[in-house]
Amino acid sequence: MRSKIVAGNWKMNKNMTETEALLAELSAKLPDSDAEVMVAPTFVNLAVSVRNLEHSTIEVIAQNMHFAESGAYTGEISADMLLDIGVDTAIIGHSERRAYFGETDEILAKKVTTALGKNIRVIFCFGEELEDRKSDQHFSVVESQLKNALFSLEASAWNHIVLAYEPVWAIGTGETASPEQAQEMHAFIRKTITEAYDAATANKVSILYGGSVKPGNAEEIFSKPDVDGGLIGGASLVADDFVAIIKSI
Ligand code: PGA
């Protein structure tokens, strides 16, 4: 059975006081669910979040990490620094990292290799832009993103990888892929992994959908057979919305 996962990506939102308040509200309202629930606060609030959630099943994850072990990389955070504060999952390849910080497939491949070498679970994000979909290139774009960053890995590495398909045109725009579009792409992703590896590997990978998931559309998206959960941006900043999304899985 694949894990069901609902992960909240808080991006550059919430100061420390707000972080602690949101975590307290989430913990108090957390519904019983067989899904893994994760939150990704900003780096400066990771350690305090881990402490606040010591007795909670909510997992604290990182929004990013650097590929180097340590050294002269001003402003960056290493895998060991995350592990040291009790964070062992990182989002890698978010479209905002790709678009605003120049993270290429090549850089992302290095980040994934470093993370897995340190036993950090990776939530790997990818997805096409609007022009790609309009010109019917969305499948080939997604395939090359996966191939370039992940397909040199050994099959066993996939035990520590979660995929998050996030069409760029649906992130923060209020526009969502229809449940059918999400299912179509998720099935394509599984087929691509089957061809590169085998069906057993493809069937055990959790594939999350991300892009304007809200309480009103989560249930239908999550009901699709190849959608194993969601990576939630805006709606994860409001406890009641995030809780409603968790309930709908
Ligand atoms: P959104 O963000 O839910 O605000 O569209 C999703 C994401 O960027 O992971």
Side-chain angles (χ1 to χ4, degrees):
M1 266 292 273
R2 300 191 282 271
S3 315
K4 301 247 180 235
I5 297 170
V6 180
N9 175 11
W10 293 6
K11 307 190 181 183
M12 197 172 72
N13 294 295
K14 306 285 179 192
N15 63 26
M16 199 195 299
T17 308
E18 293 162 345
T19 294
E20 294 196 282
L22 180 52
L23 292 177
E25 195 180 349
L26 273 180
S27 301
K29 294 179 173 174
L30 191 70
D32 264 344
S33 163
D34 56 6
E36 289 181 57
V37 177
M38 307 174 178
V39 291
T42 185
F43 279 126
V44 287
N45 293 319
L46 280 183
V48 79
S49 298
V50 171
R51 281 199 293 276
N52 277 248
L53 294 177
E54 213 172 12
H55 303 293
S56 166
T57 54
I58 303 173
E59 215 181 306
V60 178
I61 68 172
Q63 297 178 17
N64 182 28
M65 57 159 266
H66 196 61
F67 55 76
E69 288 252 336
S70 64
Y73 296 97
T74 302
E76 292 293 333
I77 308 285
S78 73
D80 284 334
M81 291 170 186
L82 296 177
L83 292 170
D84 183 52
I85 58 162
V87 171
D88 61 6
T89 299
I91 298 171
I92 289 181
H94 191 279
S95 67
E96 287 146 19
R97 300 294 319 171
R98 295 175 189 257
Y100 307 144
F101 303 98
E103 296 196 0
T104 59
D105 289 348
E106 195 189 354
I107 291 173
L108 298 175
K110 291 204 302 200
K111 289 190 174 202
V112 169
T113 302
T114 301
L116 296 177
K118 294 282 180 183
N119 270 328
I120 288 187
R121 176 148 76 146
V122 170
I123 300 184
F124 184 79
C125 302
F126 56 96
E128 82 282 1
E129 311 222 3
L130 187 56
E131 306 82 75
D132 303 323
R133 189 163 274 268
K134 280 189 175 153
S135 58
D136 216 20
Q137 299 294 307
H138 45 300
F139 292 117
S140 58
V141 166
V142 160
E143 185 171 5
S144 75
Q145 288 172 327
L146 291 175
K147 192 166 157 235
N148 294 341
L150 303 179
F151 284 179
S152 312
L153 297 170
E154 293 190 5
S156 60
W158 286 81
N159 293 327
H160 308 286
I161 291 177
V162 171
L163 297 179
Y165 167 60
E166 300 203 301
V168 177
W169 49 272
I171 297 179
T173 58
E175 187 123 1
T176 323
S178 68
E180 292 69 31
Q181 285 173 320
Q183 169 56 27
E184 183 186 35
M185 184 58 89
H186 284 219
F188 170 79
I189 293 161
R190 234 179 271 288
K191 178 171 90 55
T192 306
I193 300 169
T194 303
E195 285 163 6
Y197 293 86
D198 51 57
T201 304
N203 285 329
K204 74 184 175 207
V205 180
S206 298
I207 309 178
L208 316 184
Y209 169 79
S212 300
V213 177
K214 301 181 274 279
N217 60 22
E219 191 168 343
E220 214 189 335
I221 295 172
F222 293 163
S223 72
K224 295 295 175 192
D226 284 298
V227 178
D228 304 307
L231 182 55
I232 321 296
S236 71
L237 298 171
V238 178
D240 287 333
D241 287 354
F242 194 52
V243 164
I245 292 169
I246 297 164
K247 280 185 183 153
S248 58
I249 196 157

